[in-house]
Protein backbone atom coordinates (compact mmCIF):
# COMPACT_ATOMS: atom_id res chain seq x y z
CA UNK A 1 0.00 0.00 0.00
CA UNK A 2 1.28 3.49 -0.77
CA UNK A 3 3.01 5.30 2.08
CA UNK A 4 0.49 8.11 1.96
CA UNK A 5 -3.16 8.29 1.01
CA UNK A 6 -4.95 11.43 -0.09
CA UNK A 7 -8.10 12.58 1.67
CA UNK A 8 -10.08 11.77 -1.48
CA UNK A 9 -8.68 8.25 -1.64
CA UNK A 10 -9.37 7.67 2.02
CA UNK A 11 -12.90 8.94 1.60
CA UNK A 12 -13.39 6.58 -1.33
CA UNK A 13 -12.18 3.66 0.77
CA UNK A 14 -14.45 4.63 3.62
CA UNK A 15 -17.32 5.10 1.22
CA UNK A 16 -16.98 1.46 0.29
CA UNK A 17 -17.94 0.72 3.91
CA UNK A 18 -18.82 -2.92 4.37
CA UNK A 19 -17.49 -3.69 0.90
CA UNK A 20 -14.05 -2.56 2.03
CA UNK A 21 -14.19 -5.03 4.90
CA UNK A 22 -15.29 -7.79 2.57
CA UNK A 23 -12.30 -7.09 0.33
CA UNK A 24 -10.10 -7.33 3.41
CA UNK A 25 -11.58 -10.72 4.29
CA UNK A 26 -10.49 -12.05 0.93
CA UNK A 27 -6.84 -11.26 1.67
CA UNK A 28 -4.32 -14.01 2.23
CA UNK A 29 -5.33 -15.95 5.33
CA UNK A 30 -1.84 -15.92 6.82
CA UNK A 31 -1.66 -12.11 6.90
CA UNK A 32 -2.81 -10.40 10.10
CA UNK A 33 -5.84 -8.27 9.26
CA UNK A 34 -6.56 -5.09 11.20
CA UNK A 35 -9.55 -2.77 10.81
CA UNK A 36 -9.16 0.82 12.01
CA UNK A 37 -12.50 2.46 12.81
CA UNK A 38 -11.81 6.19 12.93
CA UNK A 39 -13.97 9.21 13.77
CA UNK A 40 -13.95 10.83 10.37
CA UNK A 41 -11.78 11.30 7.32
CA UNK A 42 -12.97 14.86 6.85
CA UNK A 43 -10.41 16.64 9.06
CA UNK A 44 -6.70 17.01 8.51
CA UNK A 45 -5.64 15.40 11.78
CA UNK A 46 -7.64 12.24 11.12
CA UNK A 47 -6.23 12.05 7.60
CA UNK A 48 -2.71 12.45 9.05
CA UNK A 49 -3.54 9.62 11.46
CA UNK A 50 -4.77 7.37 8.65
CA UNK A 51 -1.77 8.19 6.45
CA UNK A 52 0.54 7.33 9.33
CA UNK A 53 -1.22 4.02 9.95
CA UNK A 54 -0.88 3.12 6.27
CA UNK A 55 2.82 4.09 6.44
CA UNK A 56 3.60 1.55 9.16
CA UNK A 57 6.47 -0.59 7.79
CA UNK A 58 4.51 -3.85 7.96
CA UNK A 59 1.48 -2.30 6.26
CA UNK A 60 3.62 -0.75 3.52
CA UNK A 61 5.39 -3.99 2.70
CA UNK A 62 2.14 -5.99 2.66
CA UNK A 63 2.89 -8.12 5.72
CA UNK A 64 -0.24 -6.75 7.38
CA UNK A 65 -3.59 -5.93 5.79
CA UNK A 66 -5.08 -2.70 7.15
CA UNK A 67 -8.58 -1.41 6.39
CA UNK A 68 -9.35 2.17 7.46
CA UNK A 69 -13.05 2.94 7.90
CA UNK A 70 -14.63 6.38 8.12
CA UNK A 71 -17.00 6.67 11.09
CA UNK A 72 -18.39 9.91 9.60
CA UNK A 73 -18.64 11.45 13.07
CA UNK A 74 -21.52 9.10 13.84
CA UNK A 75 -21.47 6.65 16.76
CA UNK A 76 -24.04 4.34 15.10
CA UNK A 77 -21.96 4.11 11.93
CA UNK A 78 -18.95 3.12 14.01
CA UNK A 79 -20.99 0.55 15.91
CA UNK A 80 -22.13 -1.05 12.64
CA UNK A 81 -18.55 -1.08 11.36
CA UNK A 82 -17.52 -2.97 14.49
CA UNK A 83 -20.20 -5.61 13.90
CA UNK A 84 -19.08 -6.08 10.32
CA UNK A 85 -15.41 -6.35 11.28
CA UNK A 86 -16.27 -8.92 13.94
CA UNK A 87 -18.33 -10.98 11.52
CA UNK A 88 -15.56 -10.78 8.92
CA UNK A 89 -13.19 -12.20 11.58
CA UNK A 90 -10.61 -9.43 11.60
CA UNK A 91 -7.73 -10.26 13.91
CA UNK A 92 -7.77 -6.91 15.74
CA UNK A 93 -9.49 -3.54 15.74
CA UNK A 94 -8.14 -0.06 16.31
CA UNK A 95 -10.71 2.45 17.52
CA UNK A 96 -10.81 6.26 17.39
CA UNK A 97 -14.31 6.77 18.85
CA UNK A 98 -16.78 9.51 18.08
CA UNK A 99 -18.42 9.39 21.52
CA UNK A 100 -16.78 8.69 24.87
CA UNK A 101 -19.75 6.66 26.18
CA UNK A 102 -21.43 5.26 23.04
CA UNK A 103 -18.13 3.62 22.09
CA UNK A 104 -18.19 1.28 25.08
CA UNK A 105 -20.79 -1.15 23.70
CA UNK A 106 -19.08 -1.99 20.39
CA UNK A 107 -15.77 -2.51 22.18
CA UNK A 108 -17.51 -4.85 24.63
CA UNK A 109 -18.99 -6.82 21.72
CA UNK A 110 -15.57 -7.18 20.12
CA UNK A 111 -14.05 -8.29 23.41
CA UNK A 112 -16.83 -10.86 23.89
CA UNK A 113 -16.06 -12.17 20.39
CA UNK A 114 -12.37 -12.50 21.22
CA UNK A 115 -11.25 -9.63 18.99
CA UNK A 116 -8.74 -7.35 20.75
CA UNK A 117 -9.41 -3.61 20.48
CA UNK A 118 -6.64 -1.03 20.66
CA UNK A 119 -7.66 2.52 21.51
CA UNK A 120 -5.95 5.44 19.80
CA UNK A 121 -6.25 9.23 19.97
CA UNK A 122 -9.74 9.73 21.46
CA UNK A 123 -10.99 7.22 24.01
CA UNK A 124 -14.05 5.49 25.45
CA UNK A 125 -14.98 6.07 29.08
CA UNK A 126 -14.41 2.43 30.10
CA UNK A 127 -10.80 2.09 29.03
CA UNK A 128 -10.57 -1.26 30.86
CA UNK A 129 -12.34 -2.77 27.82
CA UNK A 130 -9.32 -2.04 25.62
CA UNK A 131 -6.56 -4.58 25.23
CA UNK A 132 -4.35 -1.47 25.35
CA UNK A 133 -4.51 2.13 24.19
CA UNK A 134 -2.17 4.85 23.02
CA UNK A 135 -3.08 8.52 23.23
CA UNK A 136 -1.97 11.91 24.47
CA UNK A 137 -3.25 13.34 27.76
CA UNK A 138 -6.10 15.65 26.78
CA UNK A 139 -6.45 17.11 30.28
CA UNK A 140 -2.85 18.23 29.94
CA UNK A 141 -3.67 19.65 26.49
CA UNK A 142 -6.45 21.75 28.00
CA UNK A 143 -4.04 23.09 30.60
CA UNK A 144 -1.45 23.94 27.94
CA UNK A 145 -4.13 25.68 25.85
CA UNK A 146 -5.47 27.76 28.71
CA UNK A 147 -2.13 28.72 30.20
CA UNK A 148 -0.71 29.84 26.85
CA UNK A 149 -3.68 32.18 26.29
CA UNK A 150 -3.98 33.42 29.88
CA UNK A 151 -0.28 34.24 30.12
CA UNK A 152 -0.40 36.17 26.84
CA UNK A 153 -3.36 38.09 28.27
CA UNK A 154 -1.27 39.08 31.27
CA UNK A 155 -3.40 36.92 33.54
CA UNK A 156 -6.54 39.05 33.32
CA UNK A 157 -9.39 39.83 30.94
CA UNK A 158 -12.24 38.15 29.07
CA UNK A 159 -11.84 34.87 27.21
CA UNK A 160 -14.11 32.76 25.00
CA UNK A 161 -13.92 28.96 24.67
CA UNK A 162 -14.73 27.14 21.43
CA UNK A 163 -15.44 23.53 22.36
CA UNK A 164 -15.20 20.36 20.32
CA UNK A 165 -18.04 17.94 19.67
CA UNK A 166 -19.84 17.42 22.98
CA UNK A 167 -19.34 13.93 24.35
CA UNK A 168 -16.00 13.15 22.71
CA UNK A 169 -13.18 12.34 25.10
CA UNK A 170 -11.00 15.16 23.76
CA UNK A 171 -13.79 17.70 24.37
CA UNK A 172 -14.53 16.37 27.86
CA UNK A 173 -10.91 16.13 28.98
CA UNK A 174 -9.58 19.31 27.35
CA UNK A 175 -12.39 21.25 28.99
CA UNK A 176 -11.43 19.65 32.31
CA UNK A 177 -7.89 20.95 31.85
CA UNK A 178 -9.10 24.42 30.88
CA UNK A 179 -11.39 24.63 33.90
CA UNK A 180 -8.63 23.47 36.25
CA UNK A 181 -6.35 26.20 34.90
CA UNK A 182 -9.08 28.84 35.21
CA UNK A 183 -9.01 28.27 38.98
CA UNK A 184 -5.40 29.45 38.99
CA UNK A 185 -6.27 32.71 37.18
CA UNK A 186 -8.99 34.46 39.21
CA UNK A 187 -8.86 37.56 37.01
CA UNK A 188 -9.79 35.66 33.84
CA UNK A 189 -13.51 35.66 33.00
CA UNK A 190 -15.18 33.33 30.48
CA UNK A 191 -17.84 35.37 28.67
CA UNK A 192 -18.83 32.84 25.98
CA UNK A 193 -18.49 29.06 25.66
CA UNK A 194 -20.05 26.84 23.00
CA UNK A 195 -19.29 23.90 20.71
CA UNK A 196 -18.23 24.32 17.09
CA UNK A 197 -17.97 20.53 16.59
CA UNK A 198 -14.26 20.60 15.69
CA UNK A 199 -15.24 22.57 12.56
CA UNK A 200 -13.33 25.55 11.18
CA UNK A 201 -16.43 26.89 9.44
CA UNK A 202 -18.61 26.59 12.54
CA UNK A 203 -15.96 28.27 14.68
CA UNK A 204 -15.64 31.11 12.18
CA UNK A 205 -19.38 31.81 12.37
CA UNK A 206 -19.51 31.41 16.15
CA UNK A 207 -16.62 33.76 16.86
CA UNK A 208 -17.91 36.30 14.35
CA UNK A 209 -21.14 36.42 16.34
CA UNK A 210 -19.26 36.76 19.62
CA UNK A 211 -17.09 39.58 18.30
CA UNK A 212 -20.23 41.40 17.18
CA UNK A 213 -21.99 40.81 20.49
CA UNK A 214 -18.95 41.80 22.57
CA UNK A 215 -17.11 44.55 20.68
CA UNK A 216 -13.66 45.21 22.19
CA UNK A 217 -14.45 42.87 25.09
CA UNK A 218 -12.71 39.64 24.01
CA UNK A 219 -9.07 39.50 25.01
CA UNK A 220 -8.35 35.80 24.33
CA UNK A 221 -9.72 32.79 22.44
CA UNK A 222 -9.28 29.11 23.28
CA UNK A 223 -10.06 26.59 20.55
CA UNK A 224 -10.11 22.96 21.68
CA UNK A 225 -8.52 21.99 18.37
CA UNK A 226 -6.58 23.79 15.65
CA UNK A 227 -9.37 23.75 13.07
CA UNK A 228 -11.59 25.79 15.39
CA UNK A 229 -8.72 28.05 16.43
CA UNK A 230 -8.06 28.79 12.75
CA UNK A 231 -11.76 29.58 12.25
CA UNK A 232 -11.50 31.97 15.21
CA UNK A 233 -8.39 33.52 13.70
CA UNK A 234 -10.23 34.13 10.42
CA UNK A 235 -13.08 35.77 12.33
CA UNK A 236 -10.69 38.06 14.20
CA UNK A 237 -8.98 39.12 11.00
CA UNK A 238 -12.35 39.50 9.27
CA UNK A 239 -13.33 42.04 11.94
CA UNK A 240 -10.21 44.05 11.18
CA UNK A 241 -8.60 43.10 14.49
CA UNK A 242 -4.93 42.29 15.02
CA UNK A 243 -4.59 38.60 16.02
CA UNK A 244 -1.25 39.40 17.65
CA UNK A 245 -3.21 41.41 20.21
CA UNK A 246 -5.86 38.73 20.85
CA UNK A 247 -4.12 35.48 21.83
CA UNK A 248 -5.60 32.43 20.08
CA UNK A 249 -4.56 28.86 20.79
CA UNK A 250 -5.43 25.42 19.43
CA UNK A 251 -4.24 21.82 19.54
CA UNK A 252 -3.12 19.29 16.88
CA UNK A 253 -0.45 21.00 14.80
CA UNK A 254 -2.34 20.85 11.49
CA UNK A 255 -0.58 22.53 8.58
CA UNK A 256 -2.53 25.81 8.58
CA UNK A 257 -1.93 26.13 12.32
CA UNK A 258 1.81 25.64 11.84
CA UNK A 259 1.76 28.38 9.20
CA UNK A 260 -0.20 30.69 11.53
CA UNK A 261 2.34 30.06 14.31
CA UNK A 262 5.07 30.87 11.82
CA UNK A 263 3.35 34.22 11.14
CA UNK A 264 2.97 34.88 14.86
CA UNK A 265 -0.84 34.85 14.65
CA UNK A 266 -1.73 31.94 16.96
CA UNK A 267 -0.36 29.24 19.24
CA UNK A 268 -0.57 25.49 18.75
CA UNK A 269 0.55 22.22 20.32
CA UNK A 270 1.38 19.27 18.10
CA UNK A 271 -0.45 16.00 18.66
CA UNK A 272 1.74 13.24 17.25
CA UNK A 273 -0.49 11.40 14.78
CA UNK A 274 2.40 9.21 13.62
CA UNK A 275 3.12 7.94 17.13
CA UNK A 276 -0.54 7.33 17.95
CA UNK A 277 -1.37 5.54 14.69
CA UNK A 278 1.77 3.48 14.17
CA UNK A 279 2.01 2.73 17.87
CA UNK A 280 -1.54 1.38 17.71
CA UNK A 281 -0.60 -0.90 14.79
CA UNK A 282 2.27 -2.33 16.84
CA UNK A 283 0.02 -2.87 19.86
CA UNK A 284 -2.59 -4.59 17.69
CA UNK A 285 0.05 -6.92 16.25
CA UNK A 286 1.40 -7.66 19.73
CA UNK A 287 -2.14 -8.59 20.80
CA UNK A 288 -2.40 -10.97 17.83
CA UNK A 289 1.11 -12.46 17.74
CA UNK A 290 2.08 -12.39 21.41
CA UNK A 291 5.37 -11.66 23.17
CA UNK A 292 7.49 -12.62 20.16
CA UNK A 293 6.32 -9.53 18.26
CA UNK A 294 8.95 -6.81 17.89
CA UNK A 295 7.59 -3.28 17.32
CA UNK A 296 8.46 -1.30 14.20
CA UNK A 297 7.17 2.24 14.89
CA UNK A 298 9.78 4.88 15.65
CA UNK A 299 7.97 6.01 18.79
CA UNK A 300 9.28 3.11 20.89
CA UNK A 301 12.53 3.14 22.82
CA UNK A 302 13.77 0.13 20.84
CA UNK A 303 13.79 2.38 17.78
CA UNK A 304 15.15 5.50 19.47
CA UNK A 305 11.72 6.84 20.37
CA UNK A 306 10.32 8.29 23.58
CA UNK A 307 8.03 5.54 24.87
CA UNK A 308 9.08 2.33 26.57
CA UNK A 309 7.61 -0.65 24.71
CA UNK A 310 7.49 -2.86 27.80
CA UNK A 311 6.75 -5.89 25.71
CA UNK A 312 3.48 -4.37 24.54
CA UNK A 313 1.98 -5.40 27.90
CA UNK A 314 1.08 -2.01 29.36
CA UNK A 315 -2.53 -1.03 28.98
CA UNK A 316 -1.89 2.69 28.50
CA UNK A 317 0.85 4.43 26.52
CA UNK A 318 0.92 8.24 26.68
CA UNK A 319 2.44 10.13 23.74
CA UNK A 320 4.00 13.48 24.75
CA UNK A 321 2.66 16.77 23.41
CA UNK A 322 5.04 18.96 21.38
CA UNK A 323 4.54 22.73 21.83
CA UNK A 324 4.92 24.49 18.46
CA UNK A 325 7.40 27.34 18.75
CA UNK A 326 9.26 29.76 16.53
CA UNK A 327 12.27 27.51 16.96
CA UNK A 328 10.72 24.23 15.78
CA UNK A 329 7.94 25.31 13.40
CA UNK A 330 10.18 25.29 10.30
CA UNK A 331 11.26 21.71 10.99
CA UNK A 332 7.67 20.63 11.61
CA UNK A 333 6.52 22.19 8.33
CA UNK A 334 9.37 20.50 6.48
CA UNK A 335 8.38 17.16 8.00
CA UNK A 336 4.75 17.72 7.00
CA UNK A 337 5.79 18.10 3.33
CA UNK A 338 7.16 14.53 3.40
CA UNK A 339 3.99 13.00 4.84
Amino acid sequence: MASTITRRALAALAGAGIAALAIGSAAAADKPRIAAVVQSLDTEFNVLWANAANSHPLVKDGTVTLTVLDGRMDALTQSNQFDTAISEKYDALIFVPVDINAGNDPVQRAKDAGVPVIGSNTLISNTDLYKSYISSNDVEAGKILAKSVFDKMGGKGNVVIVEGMIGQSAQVQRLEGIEATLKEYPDIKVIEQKTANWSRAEALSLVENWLTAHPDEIQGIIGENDEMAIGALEAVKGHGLDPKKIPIAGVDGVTDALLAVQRGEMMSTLQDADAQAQGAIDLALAAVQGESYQPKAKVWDVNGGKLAWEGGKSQHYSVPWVPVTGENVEALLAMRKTQ
Side-chain angles (χ1 to χ4, degrees):
M1 188 173 290
S3 60
T4 58
I5 289 184
T6 65
R7 185 176 301 191
R8 181 177 297 174
L10 279 168
L13 172 61
I18 293 173
L21 286 173
I23 291 169
S25 68
D30 59 343
K31 291 184 179 181
R33 297 186 301 121
I34 300 170
V37 179
V38 303
Q39 290 176 346
S40 165
L41 293 174
D42 200 33
T43 65
E44 183 179 340
F45 181 82
N46 285 318
V47 171
L48 289 170
W49 188 99
N51 282 344
N54 279 288
S55 295
H56 187 281
L58 297 182
V59 177
K60 284 182 68 175
D61 70 11
T63 301
V64 174
T65 298
L66 174 68
T67 303
V68 178
L69 292 173
D70 185 350
R72 300 176 184 174
M73 284 299 183
D74 182 74
L76 179 59
T77 296
Q78 290 194 311
S79 180
N80 291 337
Q81 289 168 341
F82 258 72
D83 289 339
T84 303
I86 293 167
S87 68
E88 292 289 345
K89 301 188 183 303
Y90 269 69
D91 296 298
L93 287 162
I94 297 172
F95 193 25
V96 184
V98 168
D99 188 278
I100 191 171
N101 292 315
N104 290 326
D105 284 347
V107 176
Q108 181 69 66
R109 295 198 301 274
K111 184 176 181 180
D112 292 344
V115 182
V117 180
I118 308 300
S120 181
N121 185 239
T122 58
L123 303 172
I124 57 174
S125 57
N126 187 2
T127 54
D128 288 342
L129 293 174
Y130 290 132
K131 176 68 175 179
S132 58
Y133 61 102
I134 182 167
S135 62
S136 297
N137 186 325
D138 278 312
V139 175
E140 181 184 354
K143 292 179 178 179
I144 293 169
L145 266 173
K147 191 175 190 310
S148 64
V149 171
F150 298 166
D151 286 349
K152 283 269 190 179
M153 292 169 60
K156 60 182 179 180
N158 298 327
V159 68
V160 296
I161 301 172
V162 188
E163 292 193 70
M165 183 176 288
I166 303 301
Q168 286 192 355
S169 67
Q171 175 269 323
V172 172
Q173 293 170 351
R174 289 176 191 174
L175 182 60
E176 181 182 338
I178 292 166
E179 290 176 339
T181 308
L182 274 165
K183 294 177 182 177
E184 301 172 9
Y185 291 79
D187 295 325
I188 296 288
K189 180 181 178 183
V190 178
I191 61 171
E192 293 283 4
Q193 179 177 337
K194 192 172 181 180
T195 182
N197 295 303
W198 306 122
S199 164
R200 187 181 306 196
E202 287 189 41
L204 169 60
S205 176
L206 187 63
V207 175
E208 282 179 337
N209 291 337
W210 288 346
L211 289 169
T212 299
H214 304 281
D216 302 320
E217 294 179 26
I218 298 174
Q219 282 86 46
I221 302 173
I222 296 172
E224 286 186 349
N225 78 342
D226 276 344
E227 292 289 346
M228 297 187 302
I230 294 164
L233 173 62
E234 291 174 354
V236 166
K237 294 165 83 171
H239 272 248
L241 302 172
D242 183 354
K244 295 181 181 180
K245 295 180 180 178
I246 301 177
I248 302 168
V251 171
D252 281 342
V254 302
T255 304
D256 283 348
L258 297 180
L259 292 169
V261 171
Q262 187 182 48
R263 297 191 301 268
E265 293 180 343
M266 67 173 275
M267 296 170 285
S268 180
T269 300
L270 179 74
Q271 183 167 207
D272 193 339
D274 284 13
Q276 291 184 11
Q278 294 195 8
I281 296 288
D282 277 335
L283 290 168
L285 290 170
V288 172
Q289 297 182 1
E291 295 182 13
S292 64
Y293 178 74
Q294 294 298 311
K296 302 297 187 290
K298 292 180 181 179
V299 66
W300 308 112
D301 57 352
V302 292
N303 290 318
K306 296 181 180 179
L307 291 184
W309 170 243
E310 298 177 346
K313 295 179 180 178
S314 292
Q315 200 204 16
H316 181 207
Y317 295 88
S318 185
V319 178
W321 298 100
V322 180
V324 181
T325 67
E327 289 70 36
N328 67 8
V329 68
E330 298 286 349
L332 291 173
L333 280 166
M335 181 177 67
R336 185 60 48 78
K337 290 178 182 177
T338 67
Q339 294 177 326

